[in-house]
């Protein structure tokens, strides 16, 4: 008799990979945060990809802010984090964060799920990010499009892609793939990208990766996410993990829409975010780098109604206004 399958990779009990290749996903995750009820924002779920049965959640402020110059809602495509292996639009931290973005930025927030590893290794997540933008385009072009998107209250010429952690990595790849002016998505127009502590990797360690672990994150967890999400046999220098790896595209040759990178000063991923922003700036790209002193990974997503998060919203708002024309 063969030995029973045993766990070879364990993501905090949420996802477990067994020696025989089977995967267990827990439905019961004890979240420390309650779901916030923001009366000023409505939300609903829509199917956006029939092939993979993927849904997204739309968030719409009930009243349009009078301080908004356009009187129309801009659109924020919010790509959640989770190391490509965990997370969904329904998780309380993701949901609360999107409520805050909708009310704070006076925007229609579109929060898609994407296929997760190890069942679906990269680039599946990148493909699904693009698919969500194409769904948006289809709503705008159709006579029977979703009323929240095509009802005339939304400015689909003002789309910003906001990616958190692994979502920030997806946002980078979308920026490269879609290119300046996002012409293939017309009349939908992406104006800029906001990367919250983008989850990039590399074989060579950075100083912040080798520094002390965080409350919710350590190097072992980051490495596990890469092992589970990368194409089989690939290293952390694969182009999907490392934008500056040996086989990666030369970004100097790629025209990019404006990008803002935001990190916490105490993040393991801090140096990768800073290095990414510095290199793109040296290449002449329009890029901003903002660091929040003393903050750890997920500080905005996990507590979107904190004092620091109010500051994050103001920084985002400035970026949106500056890149809206």
């Amino acid at each position: 008799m063969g030995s029973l399958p045993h766990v070879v990779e364990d993501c905090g009990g949420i996802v477990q990979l067994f020696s025989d290749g089977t995967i267990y996903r827990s439905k019961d995750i004890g979240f420390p945060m309650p779901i916030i009820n923001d009366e000023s924002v409505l939300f609903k779920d829509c199917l956006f990809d029939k092939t993979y049965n993927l849904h997204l959640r739309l968030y719409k402020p009930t009243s349009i802010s009078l301080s908004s110059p356009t009187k129309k809602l801009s659109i924020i495509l919010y790509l959640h984090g989770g190391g490509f292996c965990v997370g969904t639009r329904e998780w309380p931290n993701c949901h609360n964060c999107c409520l805050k973005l909708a009310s704070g930025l006076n925007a229609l927030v579109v929060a898609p799920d994407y296929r997760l590893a190890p069942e679906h290794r990269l680039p599946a997540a990148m493909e699904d990010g693009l698919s969500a933008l194409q769904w948006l385009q289809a709503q705008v072009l159709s006579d029977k499009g979703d009323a929240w998107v095509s009802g005339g209250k939304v400015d689909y010429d003002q789309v910003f892609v906001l990616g958190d952690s692994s979502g920030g990595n997806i946002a980078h790849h979308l920026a490269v793939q879609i290119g300046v002016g996002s012409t293939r998505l017309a009349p939908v127009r992406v104006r800029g990208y906001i990367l919250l502590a983008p989850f990039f990797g590399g074989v060579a360690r950075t100083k912040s990766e080798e520094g002390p672990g965080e409350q919710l994150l350590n190097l072992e967890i980051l490495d596990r996410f890469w092992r589970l999400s990368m194409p089989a046999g690939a290293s952390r220098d694969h182009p999907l993990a490392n934008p500056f790896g040996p086989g990666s595209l030369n970004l100097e040759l790629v025209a990019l829409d404006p990008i803002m990178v935001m990190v916490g000063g105490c993040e393991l991923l801090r140096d990768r975010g800073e290095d990414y922003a510095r290199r793109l700036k040296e290449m002449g790209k329009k890029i901003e780098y903002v660091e929040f002193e003393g903050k750890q990974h997920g500080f905005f997503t996990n507590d979107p109604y904190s004092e620091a998060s109010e500051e994050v919203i103001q920084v985002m708002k400035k970026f949106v206004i500056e890149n809206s024309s």
Side-chain angles (χ1 to χ4, degrees):
M1 275 177 65
S3 60
L4 287 169
H6 59 277
V7 175
V8 288
E9 298 280 7
D10 187 350
C11 297
I14 301 170
V15 180
Q16 293 175 321
L17 174 65
F18 286 83
S19 52
D20 63 354
T22 55
I23 292 153
Y24 164 78
R25 268 188 191 277
S26 169
K27 292 275 186 281
D28 180 33
I29 299 155
F31 281 98
M33 70 278 293
I35 286 195
I36 291 167
N37 184 13
D38 185 337
E39 297 289 344
S40 67
V41 178
L42 302 172
F43 65 90
K44 67 175 181 182
D45 290 329
C46 306
L47 178 72
F48 78 94
D49 188 320
K50 283 193 182 118
T51 311
Y52 299 111
N53 192 34
L54 292 170
H55 292 76
L56 53 77
R57 188 165 283 180
L58 296 175
Y59 296 81
K60 182 177 74 162
T62 47
S63 61
I64 292 182
S65 151
L66 295 173
S67 64
S68 159
T70 60
K71 300 284 189 292
K72 278 188 174 185
L73 301 172
S74 52
I75 298 176
I76 302 286
L77 180 78
Y78 174 83
L79 300 160
H80 69 74
F84 299 112
C85 296
V86 298
T88 140
R89 71 192 188 287
E90 294 173 322
W91 276 20
N93 53 353
C94 178
H95 178 75
N96 294 347
C97 178
C98 288
L99 287 174
K100 181 66 185 179
L101 290 168
S103 59
L105 299 177
N106 200 47
L108 178 80
V109 175
V110 182
D113 281 344
Y114 49 84
R115 284 171 289 162
L116 298 173
E119 298 94 323
H120 304 281
R121 290 180 177 264
L122 299 180
M126 285 74 179
E127 290 164 2
D128 298 339
L130 181 60
S131 169
L133 283 169
Q134 289 166 336
W135 176 86
L136 207 54
Q137 180 187 34
Q139 302 318 299
V140 174
L141 293 173
S142 166
D143 301 336
K144 301 186 184 76
D146 186 279
W148 283 21
V149 179
S150 57
K153 298 276 191 327
V154 173
D155 196 347
Y156 43 79
D157 185 53
Q158 304 292 338
V159 179
F160 289 84
V161 176
L162 197 165
D164 180 21
S165 193
S166 54
N169 178 315
I170 297 170
H172 158 75
H173 285 284
L174 286 176
V176 171
Q177 190 179 356
I178 292 165
V180 166
S182 46
T183 47
R184 281 184 298 163
L185 293 169
V188 168
R189 169 78 194 270
V190 179
R191 294 281 171 177
Y193 297 81
I194 299 172
L195 280 51
L196 297 181
F199 182 34
F200 294 136
V203 171
R205 300 290 191 200
T206 66
K207 205 170 163 188
S208 64
E209 282 173 347
E210 289 179 327
E214 299 179 54
Q215 207 180 335
L216 301 171
L217 210 55
N218 57 42
L219 202 50
E220 190 191 345
I221 294 170
L222 291 179
D223 284 354
R224 181 175 300 121
F225 283 149
W226 286 127
R227 286 196 300 273
L228 289 171
S229 64
M230 293 312 305
S235 81
R236 294 189 304 272
D237 274 338
H238 187 284
L240 291 169
N242 186 353
F244 308 107
S248 300
L249 198 63
N250 179 0
L251 293 175
E252 209 146 354
L253 310 175
V254 183
L256 297 168
D257 277 317
I259 295 173
M260 180 163 71
V261 178
M262 290 174 126
V263 298
C266 296
E267 302 214 39
L268 291 169
L269 293 170
R270 178 205 165 276
D271 289 358
R272 294 221 178 261
E274 188 190 37
D275 177 65
Y276 171 83
R278 181 183 52 77
R279 290 200 198 202
L280 289 189
K281 200 172 201 76
E282 285 168 1
M283 292 174 189
K285 314 294 183 204
K286 190 175 178 189
I287 184 141
E288 280 178 63
Y289 174 77
V290 185
E291 189 174 307
F292 285 82
E293 196 184 339
K295 293 298 174 192
Q296 295 195 344
H297 195 64
F299 75 94
F300 175 70
T301 312
N302 294 332
D303 193 0
Y305 289 82
S306 71
E307 207 176 316
S309 294
E310 292 302 327
E311 201 184 326
V312 170
I313 289 287
Q314 293 314 311
V315 173
M316 286 180 181
K317 197 180 268 184
K318 187 168 172 280
F319 178 80
V320 167
I321 291 167
E322 282 173 2
N323 294 293
S324 285
S325 54

